[in-house]
Amino acid sequence: MHSSVVDFIYQNKDIYIKKWRSTLDELDLNIYHSSISNEIIEETKAEFIDLVFGTLYTGEGEVAARFRRFADRLIYYHIPLSEFIRSLQLLRRVIMHDLEEQSTKEQYDRYNVDLEDWLDENINKLVDEFSNARENTVNLQNTALKELSAPLIPVFDKICVMPLVGTVDTERAKQIMESLLDGIIQHRAQVVLIDITGVPVVDTMVAHHIIKASQAVQLVGAECILVGIRPEIAQTIVNLGIDLSKIITKSTLQKGVYTALQMTRREIITLDEQRSTEV
Amino acid sequence: MTTQSSVEIGTEWGIVSARQAGRELSKGLGFSSVDQARITTAISELARNIYLYTKNGVIGLEVVNDGHRQGIIITARDQGPGIENLRDVMVDGYSTSGGLGAGLPGVKRLMDEFDIQSNPGEGTLITTTKWLR
Ligand SMILES: Nc1ncnc2c1ncn2[C@@H]1O[C@H](COP(=O)(O)OP(=O)(O)O)[C@@H](O)[C@H]1O
Ligand SMILES: [Mg+2]
């Protein structure tokens, strides 16, 4: 397609790799994460040079796979893409300069267009693969978060605990409700303890979801105990004027478990020494 | 008076970052943990109202000093539909979205000063202050 300029670059490949290498060395790839080791940075630069010059003589399929690997690498090490794009623009300047000296005006114009095509193609591939890889990462993280977001854990026969950690938004509120109702049926739970120790803010929306969840739990024949209301959260709930009187609340998970045992007509007893040594 | 920060509320993520900014600012000023929770909750209510009832808006946070004491001013500004009857929305339990309707009256109780201005069709501006004791 753009064979003329490709030939030119290919013939002078060693010179350009050397020149470009020195411009790459001036780039600051450590700006965001000073924790990346020099070794990794050097490897990444070498891979990038290989990648870009590789497009001159490698087949399409292999090139695509290489771009993908490179994008994964950038994301894995938190290396900014922008610096590499900037370096391609520097490379363009270096080549253009030589072309201007070594070719006729006519040739130069044609080379110029071809060179732009070649570099733009590289930049596009880089950006595409980078955003694909980013999107994949975000999707993976979302799935991981979803799995963590509303776990229902059976602790005793008929008693389950749902520890909530982190912000409750609309999506999560939905999962809490689903996980509660599914779990109650699956584990034949009679009491569920919702622990909000790890919820940073309890505003009227979160309170509303808790109230609705506890009503739904009652509708399927179980009871809900709200535990882990930190003192400052108790104050803000009072200020907001939210009425939690219809929900059983206990300050700690431990007290909640005792209440749950009482509600299911059981208790924890300490065996006296005589009997425990017999065992 | 200097604006410390402003956060665009376009998605639910905006609510979280506005809260985060409020938490850090109030902690830095030396507010007690209860007051930090009050300020953060007030921001959450105002930001959520912007998210629910308007297309977008901004939560602003400022540090004030009236000569005797320091405080934090939260502003919630939007160009949304505005509020027809300001008296209605300040009544506990009033909600047009099936919510608890405790947000605005709650913010007024959580904070020390509260002012709401709204013109139907033009938008709403809520300004509310908490003083450091
Ligand atoms: N920024 C706003 N723009 C327009 N309407 C609003 C805004 N904030 C609140 N409202 C109206 O005020 C009502 C009461 O708000 P609030 O006290 O926060 O309770 P809730 O959000 O639970 O309905 C809302 O239902 C809504 O109709
Ligand atoms: Mg509200």
Side-chain angles (χ1 to χ4, degrees), chain B residues 1 63-71 131-132:
Chain B
M1 230 164 36
V63 176
V64 268
N65 197 323
D66 71 350
H68 307 285
R69 54 196 177 159
Q70 276 198 308
W131 295 107
L132 191 59

Side-chain angles (χ1 to χ4, degrees), chain A residues 179-192:
Chain A
S179 174
L180 269 178
L181 297 181
D182 290 351
I184 286 172
I185 313 249
Q186 190 194 332
H187 303 297
R188 299 169 202 274
Q190 279 176 19
V191 185
V192 279

Side-chain angles (χ1 to χ4, degrees), chain A residues 204, chain B residues 45 49 53 103:
Chain A
T204 59
Chain B
E45 294 296 340
N49 282 354
Y53 308 118

Side-chain angles (χ1 to χ4, degrees), chain A residues 234-256:
Chain A
Q235 293 262 14
T236 55
I237 288 177
V238 170
N239 286 146
L240 287 170
I242 297 166
D243 178 16
L244 291 181
S245 63
K246 291 205 181 69
I247 302 178
I248 308 166
T249 55
K250 293 286 161 209
S251 53
T252 64
L253 179 59
Q254 199 177 5
K255 287 187 180 140

Side-chain angles (χ1 to χ4, degrees), chain B residues 44-131:
Chain B
S44 193
E45 294 296 340
L46 297 175
R48 186 163 299 280
N49 282 354
I50 290 176
Y51 169 72
L52 282 178
Y53 308 118
T54 78
K55 280 212 176 63
N56 50 55
V58 176
I59 295 285
L61 300 172
E62 283 166 40
V63 176
V64 268
N65 197 323
D66 71 350
H68 307 285
R69 54 196 177 159
Q70 276 198 308
I72 189 166
I73 301 183
I74 306 167
T75 52
R77 188 193 299 274
D78 67 70
Q79 272 91 46
I83 296 168
E84 286 277 353
N85 191 334
L86 288 178
R87 204 171 300 166
D88 283 351
V89 299
M90 296 311 294
V91 172
D92 275 293
Y94 177 89
S95 175
T96 56
S97 66
L100 285 180
L104 292 176
V107 170
K108 190 172 176 181
R109 286 188 294 261
L110 287 166
M111 303 290 286
D112 295 327
E113 285 165 31
F114 181 90
D115 177 64
I116 178 166
Q117 288 168 28
S118 189
N119 290 318
E122 284 175 27
T124 304
L125 171 63
I126 294 168
T127 312
T128 181
T129 310
K130 189 89 191 163
W131 295 107

Side-chain angles (χ1 to χ4, degrees), chain A:
Chain A
M1 188 175 61
H2 34 66
S3 59
S4 49
V5 84
V6 164
D7 287 344
F8 178 86
I9 299 169
Y10 190 67
Q11 276 154 23
N12 301 295
K13 173 164 127 287
D14 296 337
I15 303 171
Y16 289 130
I17 287 180
K18 212 163 146 203
K19 281 189 183 171
W20 191 28
R21 180 80 236 184
S22 58
T23 55
L24 266 174
D25 283 339
E26 282 162 31
L27 294 176
D28 189 5
L29 298 179
N30 253 331
I31 35 178
Y32 298 123
H33 286 262
S34 49
S35 58
I36 324 170
S37 75
N38 272 338
E39 211 180 330
I40 286 167
I41 295 206
E42 288 314 309
E43 256 175 53
T44 310
K45 283 176 184 170
E47 194 180 331
F48 189 55
I49 292 174
D50 250 19
L51 177 76
V52 170
F53 280 90
T55 60
L56 296 172
Y57 46 79
T58 321
E60 283 280 329
E62 171 62 18
V63 166
R66 278 196 190 186
F67 270 93
R68 209 163 303 136
R69 274 202 303 274
F70 184 72
D72 281 342
R73 182 187 182 89
L74 291 189
I75 289 189
Y76 184 80
Y77 290 114
H78 299 275
I79 301 174
L81 172 67
S82 54
E83 293 296 309
F84 286 97
I85 292 183
R86 214 193 321 275
S87 82
L88 280 176
Q89 284 153 355
L90 293 174
L91 177 65
R92 175 192 336 237
R93 218 171 296 155
V94 175
I95 299 177
M96 293 273 257
H97 177 81
D98 291 357
L99 282 174
E100 199 167 11
E101 282 183 344
Q102 298 176 30
S103 49
T104 63
K105 170 88 179 74
E106 219 171 283
Q107 266 180 325
Y108 174 74
D109 287 343
R110 211 180 56 236
Y111 279 171
N112 199 352
V113 173
D114 289 349
L115 179 64
E116 295 276 313
D117 280 354
W118 178 61
L119 286 173
D120 281 350
E121 220 175 282
N122 280 322
I123 292 177
N124 287 344
K125 278 192 195 126
L126 205 53
V127 171
D128 280 353
E129 289 301 340
F130 188 80
S131 44
N132 283 344
R134 210 356 100 70
E135 202 171 314
N136 275 341
T137 315
V138 172
N139 283 342
L140 281 175
Q141 285 171 344
N142 275 345
T143 315
L145 262 184
K146 229 180 219 169
E147 285 168 354
L148 281 175
S149 82
L152 191 72
I153 306 160
V155 285
F156 286 108
D157 184 33
K158 298 177 196 153
I159 301 174
C160 289
V161 176
M162 179 179 281
L164 296 178
V165 178
T167 298
V168 177
D169 59 8
T170 318
E171 177 62 29
R172 186 134 183 243
K174 221 183 290 165
Q175 277 157 13
I176 291 173
M177 185 73 96
E178 274 172 25
S179 174
L180 269 178
L181 297 181
D182 290 351
I184 286 172
I185 313 249
Q186 190 194 332
H187 303 297
R188 299 169 202 274
Q190 279 176 19
V191 185
V192 279
L193 297 118
I194 301 181
D195 185 355
I196 59 166
T197 313
V199 178
V201 177
V202 179
D203 58 7
T204 59
M205 185 207 71
V206 175
H208 196 195
H209 283 301
I210 291 172
I211 294 170
K212 282 196 285 194
S214 107
Q215 285 167 348
V217 167
Q218 285 175 348
L219 281 178
V220 295
E223 276 296 336
C224 196
I225 302 178
L226 186 63
V227 302
I229 303 179
R230 285 170 282 131
E232 68 270 23
I233 300 295
Q235 293 262 14
T236 55
I237 288 177
V238 170
N239 286 146
L240 287 170
I242 297 166
D243 178 16
L244 291 181
S245 63
K246 291 205 181 69
I247 302 178
I248 308 166
T249 55
K250 293 286 161 209
S251 53
T252 64
L253 179 59
Q254 199 177 5
K255 287 187 180 140
V257 169
Y258 276 112
T259 309
L261 286 169
Q262 269 169 20
M263 288 163 71
T264 50
R265 310 182 56 80
R266 286 170 295 176
E267 64 178 328
I268 292 177
I269 54 157
T270 310
L271 299 177
D272 59 51
E273 299 224 344
Q274 195 74 53
R275 276 166 65 198
S276 56
T277 44
E278 275 169 27
V279 181

